[in-house]
Amino acid sequence: MESVKLHYDVSGDDFTRAGEASGNVKHVLKELGFDPEVVRNVSIAMYEGEINMVIHAGGGEIDVEISPDCVSMVLTDHGPGIKDVELAMKAGYSTAPDRVRSLGFGAGMGLPNIKKYTDEMAIETEVDVGTTMRLKVYTADKPSA
């Protein structure tokens, strides 16, 4: 299998379309015959990142590369950035506004779940500029360092 590259534009503050990109990637991975655990891990991590873009960043872009060994995701936004990444990684910490919480989102599990369901997670963020997350889920054993 050659690598498959996918690109998605994520609309900001549009909860009706939130999850479309991760749902599409889930479908593609299933069609390509990936292990259900890989499909699940990629879907959860990507969904959480996608929702964060909708809630906090006014949308963004997601680029996915699917290869036999790895699914790589790059999520980029031009939102407010993350002021304290270490704090944002704590389960339950959230800066989501009340109107978002009333919709059932913003419980503060986004970044912790992304870390839990990926093999690699790197966050590059700058306040008032935006955030890029680079995520990887390996399809077999992690490569040795």
Side-chain angles (χ1 to χ4, degrees):
M1 169 186 118
E2 290 187 34
S3 70
V4 175
K5 293 183 181 184
L6 305 167
H7 176 83
Y8 301 95
D9 292 313
V10 178
S11 298
D13 209 30
D14 186 352
F15 289 94
T16 61
R17 295 192 56 213
E20 284 183 1
S22 53
N24 181 264
V25 170
K26 179 180 181 177
H27 175 76
V28 169
L29 291 172
K30 283 182 174 182
E31 289 290 314
L32 291 171
F34 280 92
D35 181 273
E37 185 176 350
V38 169
V39 174
R40 176 177 172 264
N41 291 351
V42 169
S43 300
I44 291 170
M46 193 167 151
Y47 177 79
E48 293 286 9
E50 190 174 354
I51 288 296
N52 279 351
M53 287 179 166
V54 172
I55 293 171
H56 301 288
E61 296 181 344
I62 302 174
D63 289 293
V64 179
E65 183 171 358
I66 302 167
S67 71
D69 301 326
C70 180
V71 179
S72 300
M73 298 154 276
V74 179
L75 294 80
T76 306
D77 69 58
H78 302 288
I82 303 170
K83 290 182 180 159
D84 186 336
V85 173
E86 188 175 329
L87 183 59
M89 291 297 296
K90 292 187 181 196
Y93 176 79
S94 178
T95 58
D98 288 339
R99 67 175 181 77
V100 170
R101 290 175 191 243
S102 73
L103 297 172
F105 299 99
M109 292 306 296
L111 293 180
N113 277 338
I114 293 169
K115 183 167 181 61
K116 178 179 178 179
Y117 290 102
T118 58
D119 295 308
E120 292 182 21
M121 174 185 185
I123 299 174
E124 301 159 17
T125 188
E126 189 174 339
V127 174
D128 297 327
V129 175
T131 301
T132 297
M133 282 196 298
R134 298 178 193 284
L135 312 173
K136 287 188 178 186
V137 174
Y138 292 103
T139 60
D141 294 331
K142 288 185 196 180
S144 18

